[in-house]
Amino acid sequence: MTLLEPRIAPPATTPAPPPPPAGGPIDPAIRADVDKYRQQYARFLAGELSDEVFRVYRLTNGIYGQRQGGTNQMVRVKVPYGSIQPEQLEMIGWLVDTYSRGWGHITTRQNIQFHFVQLDQIPEVLEHLAAVGLTTREACGDTVRNVQGCHLAGACPHEELDVTPWAEATYRHFVRNPISQRLPRKFKINFSGCETDCGQAMFNDVGVIGVTRRTDDGTVERGFRVFIAGGLGTTPHPALALEDFTPRTELLPTIEACLRVFDQAGNRDNKLRARMKW
Ligand code: HEM
Ligand code: SF4
């Protein structure tokens, strides 16, 4: 099977297996997103939303139209800092069997994505993801993308501090936040628990690395060094340290300040020059 091979439907005689059991009650914010998606899709079908308006809305919700045209879509599911529960993996396994090609990709930035889902099936796919607490919200578009974390967070002997709660707080603070919805370009935040930087903080818009400092009274304070304006691509640029030490209480205001500067000063005329590194 090649990457561009379309979905092959299972033989009609194969009874579809039921979806795996869901978790607890659905997160009300994800519930509202799915309901809104259904509404916007209905408005698009009724001709009330233009192709362009629906395209931007769909992308902001992690649904990419595939380049070969037709109604094939790629669904990108956010997995903040790479932390996923067994029932969520079960559900994704069932979804790729039922709606995609039986497999998907775990991406460099800790999303899970799968192709060849038909546009009219997206609402039900979002519904199944919601049942296990997963969202595609802001997995694409000019938004704050999935917040990454180093892979051994919480269990690594080298870490200066466990970045898990900080990455979770950052994810929760920015997802659906009005300031993250219409940025000049996508915005990427990565966390690493120490300077080894397995979380690849050094080539992201904001890279946060766990560090310690010794205060005047000799105690050790755990906090962060925040790097900004890194990027890869055809013009790679290593990130620059914003300051030597950012106390834990200052982390979210610091990241938000970076985002606000980018929002106001970023290049809105040329998308190719719109990342912080420019
Ligand atoms: C000829 C080969 C390649 C080209 C032309 C290319 C081009 C690009 C471009 C244009 C971007 C977007 C940068 C931005 O948004 O500012 C990007 C991002 C990225 N690329 Fe590549 N790439 C290539 C190979 C690779 C390879 C081999 C890897 C990994 C082994 C890789 C990993 C990444 C990652 C992780 C990002 C996201 C980081 C970021 O947003 O700054 N790329 N690449
Ligand atoms: S960045 Fe540091 S703390 Fe995180 S996995 Fe790598 S070595 Fe461990």
Side-chain angles (χ1 to χ4, degrees), residues 150-152 156 158-159 192-194 196-199:
C150 60
H151 58 303
L152 291 180
C156 184
H158 304 294
E159 68 189 3
S192 283
C194 78
T196 310
D197 193 18
C198 305

Side-chain angles (χ1 to χ4, degrees), residues 46-69:
E48 293 168 21
L49 286 190
S50 69
D51 286 3
E52 180 56 16
V53 169
F54 183 65
R55 188 183 73 85
V56 173
Y57 174 76
R58 170 169 61 65
L59 288 171
T60 305
N61 283 277
I63 310 299
Y64 284 66
Q66 289 181 218
R67 290 226 168 126
Q68 68 271 48

Side-chain angles (χ1 to χ4, degrees), residues 1-254:
M1 185 176 283
T2 72
L3 282 180
L4 291 180
E5 200 168 321
R7 172 182 171 219
I8 300 168
T13 49
T14 312
I26 294 181
D27 176 340
I30 302 182
R31 169 80 271 144
D33 286 344
V34 179
D35 292 344
K36 178 87 188 283
Y37 188 93
R38 283 187 188 281
Q39 274 172 22
Q40 295 295 78
Y41 182 51
R43 291 181 64 205
F44 167 67
L45 291 178
E48 293 168 21
L49 286 190
S50 69
D51 286 3
E52 180 56 16
V53 169
F54 183 65
R55 188 183 73 85
V56 173
Y57 174 76
R58 170 169 61 65
L59 288 171
T60 305
N61 283 277
I63 310 299
Y64 284 66
Q66 289 181 218
R67 290 226 168 126
Q68 68 271 48
T71 53
N72 299 319
Q73 309 292 310
M74 186 196 83
V75 177
R76 180 176 291 163
V77 183
K78 270 184 160 173
V79 183
Y81 52 94
S83 171
I84 193 159
Q85 301 303 316
E87 69 272 16
Q88 296 176 325
L89 275 176
E90 291 284 350
M91 180 60 88
I92 290 175
W94 180 80
L95 286 172
V96 298
D97 280 345
T98 310
Y99 296 95
S100 181
R101 294 173 289 177
W103 52 278
H105 299 138
I106 298 173
T107 76
T108 311
R109 295 201 74 262
Q110 298 176 326
N111 298 284
I112 294 184
Q113 61 194 34
F114 43 94
H115 292 76
F116 293 102
V117 180
Q118 296 308 300
L119 187 60
D120 61 356
Q121 294 182 318
I122 295 293
E124 51 194 276
V125 169
L126 296 180
E127 203 76 63
H128 288 303
L129 289 168
V132 290
L134 288 170
T135 182
T136 59
R137 177 84 193 232
E138 292 150 44
C140 177
D142 296 328
T143 60
V144 175
R145 301 295 188 87
N146 192 36
V147 174
Q148 268 197 268
C150 60
H151 58 303
L152 291 180
C156 184
H158 304 294
E159 68 189 3
E160 301 285 0
L161 91 182
D162 176 5
V163 296
T164 308
W166 305 96
E168 173 72 19
T170 305
Y171 160 66
R172 288 194 200 175
H173 181 64
F174 289 111
V175 72
R176 304 183 186 87
N177 189 322
I179 63 172
S180 326
Q181 304 302 305
R182 290 287 178 270
L183 297 168
R185 193 76 180 85
K186 59 189 171 183
F187 195 87
K188 298 180 180 177
I189 305 173
N190 284 35
F191 278 79
S192 283
C194 78
E195 286 182 354
T196 310
D197 193 18
C198 305
Q200 301 174 330
M202 284 306 286
F203 52 81
N204 280 273
D205 296 293
V206 172
V208 183
I209 293 187
V211 294
T212 49
R213 74 171 169 186
R214 196 165 287 278
T215 50
D216 292 342
D217 64 4
T219 51
V220 171
E221 181 184 356
R222 294 177 197 285
F224 302 100
R225 186 164 301 143
V226 175
F227 291 84
I228 58 167
L232 282 182
T234 42
T235 316
H237 184 263
L240 306 167
L242 185 67
E243 56 190 352
D244 269 355
F245 187 88
T246 303
R248 287 166 294 176
T249 47
E250 293 297 318
L251 180 68
L252 276 183
T254 302

